[in-house]
């Protein structure tokens, strides 16, 4: 899998109950935190689960976020 950065847009294998399968990465480390693009629900999972469940990285962040673990929108 490609390098994962804050702000990346990823597509997961299964749909979220809201109907969206696109998520924004808001924390990277031993755990990955993602925010649903459809309903803004936040889910945190360990990196091993994330790599199994991600389908592909759709878009990388315009500019990498530095100095913080989360981004506010």
């Amino acid at each position: 899998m490609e390098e994962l950065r804050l702000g990346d847009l990823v597509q997961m294998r299964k749909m979220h109950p809201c109907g969206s399968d696109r998520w924004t990465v808001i924390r990277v480390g031993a755990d990955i935190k993602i925010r649903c693009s459809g309903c803004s629900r936040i889910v945190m999972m360990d990196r091993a689960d994330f790599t199994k469940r991600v389908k592909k990285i759709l878009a990388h962040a315009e500019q990498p976020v530095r100095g913080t673990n989360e981004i506010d929108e």
Side-chain angles (χ1 to χ4, degrees):
M1 189 171 87
E2 299 175 46
E3 182 181 341
L4 192 63
R5 296 182 294 204
L6 289 177
D8 286 356
L9 184 66
V10 297
Q11 182 179 16
M12 302 304 278
R13 294 196 184 278
K14 291 187 179 179
M15 298 281 263
H16 190 248
C18 74
S20 177
D21 64 347
R22 296 169 189 256
W23 298 75
T24 304
V25 177
I26 58 173
R27 181 180 188 272
V28 178
D31 295 319
I32 307 291
K33 191 182 278 189
I34 53 179
R35 177 181 287 135
C36 179
S37 296
C39 65
S40 298
R41 174 75 57 158
I42 294 175
V43 175
M44 189 170 184
M45 62 185 75
D46 60 54
R47 188 177 283 272
D49 282 343
F50 179 80
T51 55
K52 283 192 280 188
R53 294 179 185 191
V54 72
K55 190 171 187 178
K56 64 181 173 181
I57 298 175
L58 298 173
H60 287 292
E62 298 274 330
Q63 289 187 338
V65 179
R66 298 183 191 275
T68 182
N69 283 344
E70 297 187 16
I71 54 175
D72 295 324
E73 293 182 29

